[in-house]
Amino acid sequence: MPPAGLAEAPEPGRAGDARGPAGAPAAATPGAGPTAPDAEYRAAPETVSVPGDAADRAQQPEPGPGPLTISADHSYAARLAPAGGGPGWCPERWTLDGPEPYAVPLPLDRPEAADADVLPLSDGRVLIRRRAAADRHTFSLLYPTGPDTGELPLGAVIGTELALLPPSPDGMNVLALLPGARSTGVWLVAGGAFGPEHIADVPGRCSGGAWLDREGRLLALDRQMPGGGPVKTIVVDLGRGGEATPLLQIAPESNDRLLLADADSGLLLVRSDAPGQDRLGWGVLGSCLPVRFPECLRTPDVTMTPFAVQPGQMLMPECCAVALRIDGAAGSWVGLWRPAGRRLHQYAAPAGWLTGTGFWSRDGVLRLPYVPPDAPCGVALLEAPADDPYQSVANGTASSAQAPEAGARKPVPLGQAPLTGRTAPG
């Protein structure tokens, strides 16, 4: 089957860093079959002071056209920032593994378009994808060279639609999806020997993308077959030429999508309409247990999207802390949840939060990148709270998630904020 898209040779460009990037068993299905609800625990909601005001944050414009992208090892991040002194956008790299975060702009002799994509590598270089024409995407690596910016062109891929996948676990390769009429091409756009390389072709239209291992071999994709039908998550084994096997099969006609996966614990965060409506659920890679849909993550008033899972919890998926972006009428804020706790803790996000981005440390501290008014970058710290023993509620009903109530005190950084929050019962 011919690949979706064509590659072009690298283009000549300014002299740059010529360093080259460093060069499993099949996944099992987590709990195919009927769904299993969590136990019917209920907890009384708490009211505490939380930093920030949701209404004020909702009125603040995003600092850039898209969220920050964080490297696989959390050492760097990249985004498009407003270009100083004129229209357009400028790539910006954040360094996150030092004592204090700092940002370095990577300007060239022209501003970037708002639809460009940037993705950091673990060696500090930043990949940029530009749309050179309606059906042509070019790729380059950017890096600081004293006061200037170096650029290493990598080549181009021909195709209408192209989406970068999340950073590869090895930190050096960058892959992209290019859907075609009946199949989706998987491309290695950075890390190859001779520019972009087509490495697999998967039947059907694929989207999403989550890594299931630390080697960058097992890639989970959401697929819809030609002619329509439900969306199902599959595993593409890149070590076996793109061989695809089912991962999520909750119900025959349900749309089952994988949102996040943690390679250490095997925890999977999914979205499915198998319960009768779109709901968030969780399962464990290789488990025989069915996917569960917690009541505390079910609400008609807001949209919840998980964006980070606590790493390092080997064989302990129920203990992993999960960070969720919560979007409602009052704006966006942060939810913290563990499968074992079955409670949703809610916190106001720092002003200037790059909404929906963040990462966990192994010891359960969530780091939220934000743009403070007096500095180019910042990272707020939020420790995952302990889940207290459950308390019964007389009427036995669960309240829906609402925006955290702002306290009367002056907002403080999350690292100094109370480590308790308003909770939705589970």
Side-chain angles (χ1 to χ4, degrees):
M1 184 176 294
L6 300 173
E8 293 182 353
E11 302 171 337
R14 70 174 70 181
D17 188 350
R19 292 174 296 170
T29 302
T35 62
D38 273 14
E40 293 296 323
Y41 288 108
R42 298 287 183 264
E46 303 168 4
T47 302
V48 299
S49 297
V50 294
D53 183 272
D56 291 343
R57 289 193 311 278
Q59 298 173 359
Q60 293 183 346
E62 288 288 339
L68 195 74
T69 302
I70 302 171
S71 64
D73 62 356
H74 306 149
S75 56
Y76 294 99
R79 72 175 184 125
L80 289 179
W89 304 93
C90 173
E92 183 179 78
R93 188 194 72 183
W94 293 23
T95 299
L96 302 174
D97 59 353
E100 294 290 340
Y102 63 92
V104 175
L106 298 173
L108 294 171
D109 55 2
R110 63 194 181 280
E112 305 293 345
D115 63 352
D117 291 322
V118 291
L119 187 147
L121 306 185
S122 293
D123 65 0
R125 293 180 293 176
V126 174
L127 176 109
I128 183 167
R129 179 210 61 86
R130 303 181 179 102
R131 185 182 290 272
D135 60 349
R136 184 169 179 266
H137 307 265
T138 64
F139 304 90
S140 294
L141 290 175
L142 308 179
Y143 50 91
T145 57
D148 300 320
T149 300
E151 180 174 12
L152 177 63
L154 299 177
V157 172
I158 304 300
T160 304
E161 300 178 59
L162 184 141
L164 295 181
L165 287 168
S168 175
D170 63 14
M172 300 303 295
N173 294 331
V174 181
L175 287 87
L177 296 180
L178 189 61
R182 301 188 62 82
S183 65
T184 299
V186 182
W187 286 79
L188 179 66
V189 298
F194 305 103
E197 299 177 8
H198 175 265
I199 59 175
D201 204 63
V202 183
R205 183 177 183 84
C206 298
S207 59
W211 295 100
L212 301 179
D213 63 348
R214 292 294 182 190
E215 290 72 41
R217 172 177 171 175
L218 300 179
L219 174 64
L221 298 174
D222 300 329
R223 178 176 71 174
Q224 186 176 45
M225 294 301 291
V231 176
K232 299 290 184 181
T233 301
I234 59 172
V235 177
V236 177
D237 190 340
L238 300 179
R240 302 184 65 176
E243 180 181 274
T245 55
L247 179 66
L248 291 179
Q249 297 283 349
I250 301 177
E253 299 302 322
S254 62
N255 293 289
D256 310 321
R257 294 177 172 86
L258 180 63
L259 304 181
L260 277 181
D262 177 62
D264 293 337
S265 64
L267 179 66
L268 306 178
L269 279 301
V270 309
R271 188 184 301 278
S272 174
D273 57 10
Q277 58 180 309
D278 245 11
R279 289 183 57 180
L280 287 179
W282 68 279
V284 180
L285 189 66
S287 172
C288 296
L289 297 176
V291 173
R292 301 184 181 184
F293 296 90
E295 285 295 320
C296 65
L297 302 184
R298 177 186 184 184
T299 172
D301 303 322
V302 301
T303 300
M304 299 187 192
T305 306
F307 63 87
V309 179
Q310 180 184 1
Q313 308 301 297
M314 302 299 295
L315 305 178
M316 300 175 61
E318 294 88 353
C319 297
C320 290
V322 179
L324 303 101
R325 167 182 174 171
I326 306 178
D327 297 301
S332 300
W333 59 98
V334 180
L336 303 183
W337 167 81
R338 289 187 184 91
R342 303 191 181 105
R343 303 179 71 188
L344 178 66
H345 304 263
Q346 299 178 62
Y347 296 88
W353 180 38
L354 291 164
T355 309
T357 59
F359 60 97
W360 289 97
S361 66
R362 290 177 176 265
D363 55 356
V365 177
L366 178 63
R367 287 163 165 79
L368 298 173
Y370 71 107
V371 180
D374 56 350
C377 68
V379 176
L381 307 182
L382 178 60
E383 184 175 344
D387 289 302
D388 299 326
Y390 298 106
Q391 300 176 4
S392 62
V393 175
N395 59 13
T397 61
S399 63
S400 61
Q402 299 177 357
E405 298 178 5
R409 295 180 296 173
K410 181 179 178 180
V412 296
L414 289 186
Q416 305 171 21
L419 299 181
T420 57
R422 182 184 176 91
T423 62

